[in-house]
Amino acid sequence: MTDQTGPQGKCRTRLALLGAFLVGLLAAVFFLRVQVINLAKRAVPYVRRKAKVANPVLIINPWSGDGKAAQCNLAGVAEDAGIKTIVMQQGDHLAQLAIDAIGDGADAIGMAGGDGSLAVVAGVAIEHDVPFFCIPVGTRNHFALDLGLDREDPLSALDAIPSGDEILIDHALAGDRLFLNNISFGIYAQAVHEDGYREQKDKAFVKTIEANVADVDAQAALQYETPDGRVHERAPLLLISNNRYHHSGPPDFGRRFRLDSGQLGISAVTSLPKVLDAATALLGEGHDYYEWEADSIRIQSEQPILAGVDGEAVQFDSPVDIVIKPKALRVLVPTGTRPG
């Protein structure tokens, strides 16, 4: 038996200990490296790669934003940049225009218009697995804001073509209806369904709020569950967004800092105080308010469900399931654009 207490034995012991230490150190370094890489991946938002587009097509809504596309000569500038343009005509079916363009060889499809129009074309892009791009010529352009585009300079968004960045972002579905921003139930939905809403928005909102405050039966009869397990039967105001909104003050009041969190943002006012002032009813004390995140929510009713989807009046049959689709939309943006 070898003597471990002699000089040679002690040397071998020290070498064994040193070897074990080095092996442990290497294992620890490898483990820490993996952890750092994983943390970095989580810290850097958006799956991003360089775009390579050969045959982009841009559909333009000439009526959006009071004719903003024509005012900035969007069609002419886009054509000069090598982007084929399709200017919508009365009676055109937007989704079909996008489908036909892809069928004719478009390898990227874009939309210049309001948020509702963007959602329609984005849905076609997802279905055909081509990247989507947008030009902010609508009235508010909330999606463009959260995407990181310059709403004051719509033409700058054309820099996404032909070699900008392609990022992956979430979208949401209400039933089979895609939305990029949000779906609203209750007061907002009731207002957008009012005749003449587009011409007199403020009047429609005040009228709807006052009716909801004065009579509980005027509030949307919707059934949904809040995180505390309570099932509610009325929805004075229920907003569900593709990623969570944060208060930002005027003129937009809310914006999203992420578009790839994989979570819906949900806000609900479940009761209104009996007050005369409409603003106090929504913003003051005395109402029950919830705010949370989830990957889905179900809305039910014994009546048709009125909703505002990206600003458009829509009606659903009950129930309607709202779900998030993580990183399912390929979006082209100018190089270096950072959403949020």
Side-chain angles (χ1 to χ4, degrees):
M1 182 174 181
T2 304
D3 182 7
Q4 298 293 327
T5 61
Q8 291 183 346
K10 291 180 180 180
C11 182
R12 282 194 293 270
T13 300
R14 285 195 294 270
L15 288 174
L17 290 172
L18 179 61
F21 172 76
L22 290 175
V23 170
L25 180 61
L26 289 172
V29 168
F30 176 77
F31 175 77
L32 288 173
R33 180 174 180 273
V34 170
Q35 295 295 339
V36 168
I37 290 173
N38 289 336
L39 285 171
K41 286 180 178 178
R42 287 197 291 271
V44 177
Y46 305 102
V47 175
R48 184 181 296 264
R49 61 188 177 192
K50 293 303 295 181
K52 293 182 179 179
V53 178
N55 300 300
V57 173
L58 173 65
I59 302 172
I60 300 174
N61 180 345
W63 310 287
S64 186
D66 294 326
K68 192 181 295 184
Q71 294 167 21
C72 66
N73 188 28
L74 174 59
V77 176
E79 292 281 357
D80 290 343
I83 302 170
K84 179 182 176 180
T85 61
I86 300 172
V87 179
M88 294 182 66
Q89 306 295 319
Q90 292 288 353
D92 280 344
H93 189 279
L94 180 55
Q96 193 60 52
L97 289 177
I99 292 169
D100 291 344
I102 295 172
D104 289 339
D107 59 353
I109 188 74
M111 183 67 210
D115 287 328
S117 298
L118 299 182
V120 172
V121 176
V124 174
I126 293 168
E127 182 179 350
H128 292 81
D129 192 25
V130 299
F132 167 75
F133 63 101
C134 76
I135 312 298
V137 295
T139 302
R140 285 293 183 186
N141 304 297
H142 288 125
F143 177 68
L145 168 68
D146 297 337
L147 193 59
L149 301 179
D150 185 349
R151 297 182 296 176
E152 302 304 317
D153 183 12
L155 297 179
S156 64
L158 293 172
D159 292 340
I161 307 297
S163 56
D165 290 344
E166 179 181 315
I167 61 175
L168 299 183
I169 68 170
D170 307 337
H171 72 84
L173 290 175
D176 58 1
R177 175 78 181 234
L178 179 146
F179 63 93
L180 298 175
N181 293 335
N182 58 67
I183 181 170
S184 185
F185 304 92
I187 288 171
Y188 180 82
Q190 291 169 337
V192 298
H193 281 265
E194 283 281 325
D195 291 336
Y197 164 76
R198 294 293 175 188
E199 293 75 27
Q200 294 183 306
K201 293 182 180 180
D202 291 343
K203 183 178 179 180
F205 276 121
V206 171
K207 175 184 175 182
T208 305
I209 293 171
E210 289 177 344
N212 274 255
V213 171
D215 184 3
V216 172
D217 289 338
Q219 298 173 11
L222 303 178
Q223 187 181 90
Y224 57 100
E225 185 175 341
T226 45
D228 56 4
R230 293 179 61 192
V231 176
H232 302 269
E233 302 292 339
R234 295 285 175 180
L237 191 64
L238 178 60
L239 178 73
I240 303 165
S241 58
N242 169 29
N243 286 252
R244 185 175 184 173
Y245 277 97
H246 299 268
H247 178 72
S248 62
D252 300 294
F253 295 100
R255 65 175 304 177
R256 294 163 293 174
F257 299 135
R258 293 292 297 270
L259 291 174
D260 68 340
S261 72
Q263 293 286 292
L264 299 168
I266 308 172
S267 302
V269 173
T270 61
S271 65
L272 294 176
K274 293 285 186 179
V275 296
L276 296 177
D277 180 67
T280 303
L282 287 180
L283 304 176
E285 299 295 330
H287 61 267
D288 294 325
Y289 179 74
Y290 293 82
E291 187 174 15
W292 73 101
E293 291 180 303
D295 56 17
S296 66
I297 184 173
R298 169 168 282 196
I299 313 296
Q300 300 182 85
S301 178
E302 295 181 357
Q303 307 168 6
I305 298 175
L306 301 183
V309 183
D310 284 347
E312 303 291 328
V314 179
Q315 182 173 298
F316 294 95
D317 293 329
S318 180
V320 56
D321 289 307
I322 302 165
V323 299
I324 194 83
K325 295 293 183 181
K327 298 180 177 64
L329 176 59
R330 300 165 59 191
V331 181
L332 302 177
V333 295
T335 300
T337 299
R338 290 206 169 272

